[in-house]
Amino acid sequence: MLQHLAGRVWIYPHDPDPDAIRPSVAVIADDRGSVLVDAGNSPEHARAVGTAIGAAGLPAPKWLVYTHHHWDHTWGACAWPDVTVLAHSTAVDLLKTEADRPWSHRYLHDQVEANPKLAPSFRARALAVPDWTDFRIVLPDQTFDDTLTLPTDVVLRHVGGNHAPDSVIVLADGVALLGDAFYPPPYHLRTPDDTADYAMVKRLLTERHNWYVDAHSAPRQLSEALTQSG
């Protein structure tokens, strides 16, 4: 179920099981249309979030923001009707490449056989999408390069980073929704020297938002985030 965080911001929490790779999804509720931050890792995940939005009595999403192109943040998009999908401009080609891949359980198996480092991600994908019949990767309807402010005063800002070049953060009502922006590269691309982007974390903390929410952790208030950053 949705958890109210602050102002108009609600969170559908992440799955604490790291093998599930099921990130949190945020809803910024507004009578002019809610903003959905990330699509969920699958149509099933998206439908669960949609049910929670209805149960909470929140306005239906009008916009869907991809914090970045990775599967666990975008694969639920095909289950969100009547939304405008927003992303950084660099996400388009990355998603087109993903959309051209022949996704199926056989394809996932063969890719892991060829590159065992893909196993954690691809096994999670197989669990997330048991049926590929109606699955498709949804490309953005609208892109931006630096910042974009929606009619509901929700601000999208490109930050890039080592995890994904298209990483975007979303700012609303004192909450910074970070996606995976400061994370190291995905596991199959990571080297022993790769760490979290502490320089980015410090820059974001100087902005003094009330809440900081990355997609695979519990939300942190500013005081906690400052303490944990050391």
Side-chain angles (χ1 to χ4, degrees):
M1 63 184 292
L2 287 175
Q3 299 176 357
H4 181 243
L5 188 62
R8 298 169 294 165
V9 182
W10 298 68
I11 302 293
Y12 191 94
H14 74 291
D15 189 329
D17 178 359
D19 293 335
I21 315 184
R22 196 172 191 182
S24 61
V25 174
V27 182
I28 305 168
D30 196 288
D31 289 339
R32 293 164 288 184
S34 296
V35 178
L36 192 68
V37 181
D38 283 328
N41 76 349
S42 62
E44 178 188 8
H45 189 193
R47 286 189 286 269
V49 176
T51 298
I53 291 172
L58 302 181
K62 183 175 181 179
W63 296 276
L64 165 57
V65 180
Y66 290 160
T67 59
H68 60 298
H69 70 284
H70 291 162
W71 76 276
D72 51 322
H73 300 260
T74 59
W75 274 22
C78 58
W80 288 108
D82 305 320
V83 295
T84 298
V85 179
L86 307 168
H88 187 255
S89 55
T90 55
V92 176
D93 286 343
L94 295 166
L95 286 166
K96 283 181 178 177
T97 298
E98 292 297 290
D100 287 340
R101 299 172 77 174
W103 295 108
S104 67
H105 283 89
R106 170 52 59 188
Y107 177 73
L108 293 171
H109 177 271
D110 290 347
Q111 291 296 298
V112 171
E113 287 284 305
N115 181 1
K117 291 189 75 173
L118 291 171
S121 169
F122 278 34
R123 286 173 183 157
R125 299 182 202 217
L127 291 172
V129 187
D131 183 357
W132 302 89
T133 304
D134 298 317
F135 174 78
R136 63 187 179 88
I137 291 174
V138 178
L139 301 183
D141 300 301
Q142 181 180 347
T143 62
F144 65 99
D145 292 322
D146 184 18
T147 62
L148 177 66
T149 302
L150 298 179
T152 53
D153 296 322
V154 174
V155 177
L156 319 182
R157 189 170 84 220
H158 177 241
V159 294
N162 295 328
H163 186 73
D166 58 317
S167 279
V168 166
I169 65 171
V170 180
L171 308 174
D173 296 4
V175 179
L177 300 160
L178 309 177
D180 299 350
F182 64 86
Y183 289 11
Y187 175 73
H188 68 286
L189 300 174
R190 198 173 301 171
T191 71
D193 295 329
D194 286 320
T195 63
D197 189 338
Y198 296 109
M200 180 187 291
V201 170
K202 289 180 179 179
R203 289 196 304 272
L204 292 169
L205 288 174
T206 63
E207 298 176 10
R208 294 300 194 266
H209 302 287
N210 296 329
W211 288 92
Y212 289 83
V213 185
D214 67 88
H216 298 275
S217 304
R220 298 175 178 88
Q221 288 186 290
L222 174 61
S223 57
E224 182 184 3
L226 287 169
T227 300
Q228 291 183 352
S229 69

